[in-house]
Amino acid sequence: MLDVSQVSHSYAAGGRLWRKPAIPVLQDISFTLEPGMCLGLLGVSGTGKSTLGKIILGLQRPTAGRVSFAGQDWYARDRRARHHMRREVQAVFQDCYSAVNPLMSAGQIIGEPLRNYERLSALEQKRRVAELLEQVGLQASDADKRPAAFSGGQLQRINIARAIALRPKLIVLDEAISSLDMVNQTQILTLLSQLRADYGMSYLFITHHIQAALTISDRMLVMDKGQIVCTADSAAALMSSPHPAVQQLIAARLPEHPSQRLDWSSET
Amino acid sequence: MTGAIIVQANPLLETVDLAVQCRTASGKLDLLQGIHLRLEAGRVLGIVGESGSGKSLTCHAILGLLHRTQMQRSGQVRLQGQELTNYSERQMRRVRGAQIGTILQNPMNAFMPLHTIGTQFVQTLRTHDGTLSRRQALRIAVEGLDNMGLPHPQRLLRQYPFQLSGGMLQRIMIALSMCLKPKLLIADEPTTALDLVSQLQVLRALDRLRRECGTAILLVSHDLGVIAQMADDVAVMRHGRIVEQGSVHQLFDDPQHEYTRLLLDSRMTAYHPLEQEQEQEQEQEQEQGGRRDA
Amino acid sequence: MREKWTFASYENITIRICTLLLVLLFAAALLAPWLAPHDPVKVDLLHKLEAPSTAHWLGTDHLGRDTLSRLLYGSQVSLGFALVIFIVSVGVGLIVGAIAGYVGGWIDSVLMRFCEGVMAFPHLVLVLGVVGIFGPGLLQILLALLLVQWVAYARICRNMVVSLKQQSFIAAARISGSSTWSIIRTHIIPNVQRPILVVGTLEMGWAIMDISALSFLGLGVQPPQAEWGAMIHEGTAYIRSHPELMIYPGLLILIVVVLFNLLGEALSTKYGIERC
């Protein structure tokens, strides 16, 4: 469904007059994502995961390579075609606070994609928003509240409601749970798995959180310095990857119990 | 409510019935209530709870950094038997600099964006020890960063905060604390904004600070992994109160409060097979080791 | 702790009182033809420099013109022109700033360098230059002040937009299928409105001062038309015998400027905006 082939990207550095050599962020990334699958994209910060997410969302044209969705090239199409494709690929971002316009009500936030694509009557739109709010575990009466009245976990639910409003085929979850506390992380992950089961959507789950990725993904890609260094279909395969970046991620997990503490006492 | 804590005559930090109220249009609102904390020298006290439970506010209340007209503090805060609540703003500033170090969630806020790391490092060192020359301070800074295992300390000192990653800045903050050797470090969600690999490096740095300088750490986190790794004692907070307090083992093995159990259940491990596999591997290794010993 | 507290509403009270008083003043200016008891430019030398009486509540000036009527008509000029300056410069500034900030690239560079050029130029010199070229008069002053003021709004707006653009709700809106124009309309402008309102309120005070100052110097309103600054100027000849001729318009300018400043301060506290 999603086909990313040989995508490379680099950011131009410096001003318009004194251009420095471009900084490469992504090098020759290729992968495919089948319908209904959850692909985990793992890596530490600064490895170009988010840039890749933006490219897949059609927000950033890559310097080289092709991104096609359902056989259509994102960046070769005209604006109208892209507008139509856009409804199939939605996103949830890391910072739930900045992902919502502080002046809009929850209902307006969730209703934005509906307004753009579905042209519903006011009543119908209200009903759909209420439905979506209930689907993500909030109440229909929350539609009139402003973002300031919600906690982080609730806001992330609103973001999810906005993402699923159009019943997209793919949702890019860019560190969608990283800014939440543990209780909310678990709840949001459960919600996401449940929604996937209900609608058969695909997820691209971008994260540095190895446990979360393992919980929800069918396949995992590990990125390091702009390249994919490991593809694993199971936890065991991931664990046995010899690449140092993968091992570093695995070693960085913290213990669940004080008795399993990592021993640092010998270090100086 | 409070679990068994080894009672010593004079703990490093002690809060007695610390409370914070907020003045609002519709009357007073309790933000914190009945916070009793004890932190012995060289130990780590973890405060855990979900966002909005008053963890950060507790830190601010201890440091005397509350909004002056809107927040009201009551109760006692003692640092080495000294009553901090009676201190003037000027005295508090000296205490915050010399005896209590702080590390915040967003390290960008801790640095001035317009100065290089080196300038700020040297400035801080020299305000604490007036006898230091610039050159001496710079040498201490280089040693401090090098000691913390940060690469290219000389180059690092010439860089500006925005050129560095969050994890790097956080480690620089800890390196700075290490040079100042405070009695107490208040770390408010020091790793929340970081990825796992940087998180581990920062926690390691904190651990070294404690081991080598004997600094006690008040570690605020919502991540039970961080708490399990670092803390000796834990206080669980919810809605501005401490619901459970005790040693880390006691808390993880035998949680008393329902909310603590909820927190423990929210750990993401129950789902996936990874841990079990690893445990099996470990068991196998142990078995093999055992056989070899035999 | 991300809840929003509602603090004792000292600001709200200030905002209400200031707005009420300003609305009254604007209403008085608008209704001047009906409220004024006399023709503001009718010379009556038999009744010059009279003390307050039932016929002339605030007395008459050196040409026997009714002071109250002149003050009322004068407020039309001071307040009306300040409002025009505010509306036009905010409008232009908002559009230019939003385009520069949102589109970015060389358009941003060109527009902002132009704005900086205007800002770097001393305002008074610019205004005097315009008056020098086109001769003294209200329209010329209006033009000169507009030229100076929209730049400030454009820059504030542009910087706001640049920082807004990095917030992920703009990206989310694009993903939701909103067009550039609809993003500017529904997400950018409402979020820029508040700071613009704050700065605008404070700038209104300055605009009134500027108009009065230039009229005082004889560069703005031409006699016999009434205007506060011009009235002060006319009163200077009688400063010893009839200081009230200067005090009335001076007091009005003071009140209006103070009201605008109080309102601006209260708004900026309420919205939590740091003034630039």
Side-chain angles (χ1 to χ4, degrees):
Chain A
M1 183 178 61
L2 176 74
D3 187 9
V4 177
S5 76
Q6 294 174 324
V7 164
S8 298
H9 190 69
S10 49
Y11 283 116
R16 269 164 286 280
L17 286 177
W18 296 276
R19 205 175 279 257
K20 290 176 193 161
I23 302 164
V25 234
L26 293 176
Q27 284 167 35
D28 205 16
I29 303 277
S30 302
F31 63 87
T32 56
L33 180 55
E34 309 307 329
M37 179 172 146
C38 178
L39 185 69
L41 192 58
L42 270 164
V44 294
S45 41
T47 50
K49 290 174 301 181
S50 289
T51 307
L52 185 57
K54 270 191 197 160
I55 289 172
I56 290 165
L57 285 166
L59 297 175
Q60 176 97 56
R61 184 185 285 272
T63 36
R66 240 173 73 95
V67 179
S68 51
F69 185 80
Q72 290 188 303
D73 191 334
W74 252 119
Y75 294 96
R77 293 272 138 176
D78 62 4
R79 267 172 57 187
R80 272 185 72 114
R82 224 187 296 175
H83 185 72
H84 281 293
M85 282 168 75
R86 184 147 268 163
R87 69 173 294 170
E88 307 292 355
V89 187
Q90 295 291 311
V92 178
F93 294 105
Q94 168 169 21
D95 186 353
C96 48
Y97 296 103
S98 88
V100 291
N101 185 340
L103 302 176
M104 285 166 107
S105 71
Q108 288 172 312
I109 292 164
I110 298 171
E112 189 172 5
L114 295 173
R115 263 200 319 280
N116 288 328
Y117 285 101
E118 306 240 310
R119 296 182 186 283
L120 303 168
S121 68
L123 199 72
E124 181 69 6
Q125 166 132 349
K126 209 176 157 198
R127 205 181 53 77
R128 280 284 291 278
V129 166
E131 213 175 80
L132 284 164
L133 277 169
E134 275 160 15
Q135 259 173 344
V136 296
L138 296 169
Q139 277 152 15
S141 56
D142 290 331
D144 298 325
K145 291 190 200 156
R146 294 281 163 96
F150 294 104
S151 71
Q154 288 172 319
L155 276 181
Q156 203 59 307
R157 284 167 195 269
I158 290 174
N159 286 323
I160 292 171
R162 170 172 58 189
I164 61 168
L166 296 169
R167 300 280 139 80
K169 297 209 173 77
L170 170 67
I171 300 186
V172 175
L173 303 161
D174 187 357
E175 299 278 10
I177 61 160
S178 304
S179 66
L180 303 173
D181 60 51
M182 277 182 86
V183 179
N184 278 312
Q185 280 186 347
T186 318
Q187 286 172 351
I188 294 286
L189 266 190
T190 318
L191 174 69
L192 287 170
S193 322
Q194 194 189 330
L195 288 170
R196 184 160 78 108
D198 290 351
Y199 297 126
M201 294 178 288
S202 310
Y203 289 155
L204 180 67
F205 191 76
I206 301 175
T207 188
H208 64 255
H209 201 306
I210 191 164
Q211 275 120 323
L214 286 167
T215 307
I216 194 169
S217 319
D218 303 316
R219 172 178 292 170
M220 275 151 296
L221 303 177
V222 182
M223 277 183 73
D224 184 41
K225 300 193 180 86
Q227 287 172 314
I228 292 177
V229 296
C230 168
T231 309
D233 281 323
S234 68
L238 187 72
M239 299 294 285
S240 58
S241 164
H243 196 279
V246 183
Q247 288 305 321
Q248 200 184 19
L249 272 176
I250 293 169
R253 285 172 316 145
L254 290 172
E256 286 161 45
H257 192 277
S259 59
Q260 301 164 346
R261 268 188 196 184
L262 308 168
D263 184 22
W264 294 333
S265 55
S266 53
E267 284 173 27
T268 47
Chain B
M1 240 171 20
T2 45
I5 303 169
I6 313 138
V7 179
Q8 263 181 19
N10 232 351
L12 178 74
L13 175 79
E14 188 177 27
T15 68
V16 181
D17 205 18
L18 184 67
V20 172
Q21 281 189 322
C22 174
R23 295 196 193 104
T24 70
S26 53
K28 286 184 177 174
L29 196 73
D30 288 312
L31 299 181
L32 282 186
Q33 273 184 314
I35 305 290
H36 296 268
L37 294 172
R38 279 176 76 92
L39 178 55
E40 315 288 341
R43 286 175 77 84
V44 178
L45 172 63
I47 301 185
V48 70
E50 55 191 290
S51 45
S53 60
K55 302 177 305 237
S56 294
L57 196 66
T58 307
C59 297
H60 287 214
I62 290 170
L63 289 164
L65 288 174
L66 298 171
H67 196 291
R68 220 171 294 165
T69 53
Q70 290 158 5
M71 307 274 196
Q72 202 173 29
R73 179 174 71 172
S74 62
Q76 281 135 36
V77 179
R78 285 189 214 115
L79 185 73
Q80 292 180 303
Q82 297 283 316
E83 185 59 58
L84 293 189
T85 39
N86 299 334
Y87 275 27
S88 69
E89 179 54 36
R90 226 178 117 189
Q91 285 171 307
M92 257 335 271
R93 217 173 298 150
R94 206 170 305 140
V95 169
R96 280 201 292 269
Q99 294 174 43
I100 310 182
T102 35
I103 293 180
L104 303 169
Q105 177 172 357
N106 186 350
M108 278 294 178
N109 296 343
F111 290 95
M112 302 263 277
L114 294 178
H115 297 301
T116 59
I117 300 292
T119 317
Q120 301 183 51
F121 212 119
V122 166
Q123 208 171 27
T124 317
L125 287 177
R126 291 186 66 193
T127 39
H128 283 281
D129 184 355
T131 59
L132 281 179
S133 70
R134 249 193 70 80
R135 186 163 300 206
Q136 281 171 317
L138 206 60
R139 210 179 51 231
I140 295 177
V142 172
E143 274 168 20
L145 292 178
D146 194 37
N147 191 19
M148 194 45 82
L150 296 171
H152 313 294
Q154 301 274 10
R155 198 168 70 195
L156 218 52
L157 288 173
R158 279 197 301 273
Q159 279 176 313
Y160 288 90
F162 60 83
Q163 293 173 309
L164 300 168
S165 70
M168 194 60 103
L169 288 176
Q170 218 58 313
R171 283 157 73 195
I172 293 172
M173 277 303 285
I174 298 171
L176 183 57
S177 293
M178 211 145 163
C179 296
L180 300 173
K181 298 189 175 49
K183 304 246 167 39
L184 170 67
L185 182 78
I186 294 186
D188 186 2
E189 303 267 14
T191 61
T192 305
L194 308 178
D195 66 57
L196 287 188
V197 175
S198 321
Q199 163 166 289
L200 200 73
Q201 287 167 333
V202 168
L203 292 182
R204 273 191 167 148
L206 282 176
D207 194 58
R208 276 192 57 190
L209 177 66
R210 182 198 25 182
R211 271 188 287 115
E212 289 172 22
C213 305
T215 301
I217 301 174
L218 184 67
L219 179 66
V220 172
S221 181
H222 67 254
D223 189 338
L224 280 171
V226 173
I227 299 293
Q229 174 64 33
M230 302 291 294
D232 300 310
D233 302 299
V234 188
V236 182
M237 283 192 75
R238 189 185 200 191
H239 301 324
R241 290 159 200 266
I242 293 177
V243 296
E244 186 170 355
Q245 199 168 12
S247 82
V248 68
H249 282 278
Q250 183 189 337
L251 199 98
F252 274 78
D253 291 333
D254 185 21
Q256 296 299 313
H257 196 276
E258 195 185 341
Y259 181 66
T260 314
R261 262 175 248 142
L262 178 77
L263 278 181
L264 286 168
D265 287 342
S266 76
R267 283 175 299 173
M268 228 171 277
T269 47
Y271 297 77
H272 67 83
L274 190 70
E275 289 303 318
Q276 290 151 18
E277 281 170 28
Q278 207 182 22
E279 272 166 32
Q280 278 167 6
E281 272 170 35
Q282 277 173 354
E283 276 167 27
Q284 279 170 3
E285 270 170 32
Q286 278 168 0
E287 275 173 30
Q288 282 167 0
R291 257 178 252 140
R292 227 174 285 141
D293 288 341
Chain C
M1 307 254 78
R2 238 184 138 107
E3 282 104 308
K4 221 176 181 176
W5 309 110
T6 46
F7 292 110
S9 44
Y10 164 75
E11 276 82 35
N12 286 336
I13 296 169
T14 317
I15 290 171
R16 272 185 214 148
I17 293 176
C18 289
T19 315
L20 182 74
L21 290 175
L22 284 169
V23 165
L24 282 179
L25 278 166
F26 272 97
L30 209 64
L31 299 175
W34 292 276
L35 288 177
H38 296 274
D39 186 343
V41 293
K42 198 184 131 209
V43 178
D44 183 0
L45 289 170
L46 289 176
H47 296 98
K48 67 173 186 175
L49 296 171
E50 267 182 12
S53 63
T54 43
H56 304 281
W57 289 4
L58 293 177
T60 58
D61 69 357
H62 63 293
L63 296 173
R65 297 174 294 197
D66 181 47
T67 307
L68 177 63
S69 307
R70 285 183 71 74
L71 282 176
L72 279 169
Y73 274 93
S75 63
Q76 279 188 330
V77 178
S78 297
L79 298 180
F81 275 61
L83 197 66
V84 170
I85 290 173
F86 172 72
I87 291 171
V88 176
S89 52
V90 163
V92 175
L94 209 62
I95 293 168
V96 172
I99 291 173
Y102 194 79
V103 179
W106 66 270
I107 295 179
D108 180 27
S109 299
V110 169
L111 287 173
M112 284 306 116
R113 293 305 87 75
F114 176 74
C115 289
E116 277 157 19
V118 174
M119 286 178 105
F121 213 74
H123 287 187
L124 203 61
V125 176
L126 193 75
V127 174
L128 290 177
V130 171
V131 173
I133 294 168
F134 299 106
L138 256 183
L139 270 178
Q140 288 83 318
I141 286 194
L142 190 72
L143 190 77
L145 288 176
L146 273 180
L147 204 64
V148 174
Q149 290 226 328
W150 74 269
V151 179
Y153 295 111
R155 274 200 70 85
I156 294 166
C157 180
R158 182 258 177 193
N159 291 342
M160 290 282 305
V161 172
V162 166
S163 74
L164 275 175
K165 230 173 71 172
Q166 283 160 10
Q167 307 257 354
S168 36
F169 69 81
I170 301 294
R174 276 181 73 188
I175 292 163
S176 304
S178 299
S179 63
T180 303
W181 171 237
S182 113
I183 289 173
I184 290 183
R185 208 186 50 220
T186 57
H187 293 287
I188 304 261
I189 291 189
N191 276 296
V192 177
Q193 252 171 11
R194 286 176 169 186
I196 290 280
L197 190 66
V198 169
V199 176
T201 321
L202 296 165
E203 289 284 325
M204 282 273 270
W206 280 110
I208 288 169
M209 296 268 280
D210 283 347
I211 295 172
S212 302
L214 290 165
S215 297
F216 177 82
L217 294 174
L219 300 176
V221 172
Q222 296 305 303
Q225 206 184 348
E227 199 279 341
W228 296 344
M231 287 173 75
I232 297 180
H233 176 68
E234 286 163 8
T236 45
Y238 307 91
I239 189 165
R240 281 174 198 276
S241 55
H242 295 85
E244 69 274 10
L245 289 179
M246 291 177 74
I247 290 173
Y248 292 141
L251 211 59
L252 265 178
I253 295 175
L254 179 77
I255 291 171
V256 172
V257 173
V258 165
L259 280 178
F260 272 118
N261 275 296
L262 282 177
L263 183 63
E265 289 290 344
L267 282 173
S268 81
T269 319
K270 187 183 175 191
Y271 294 150
I273 294 158
E274 291 284 318
R275 279 197 297 119
C276 343

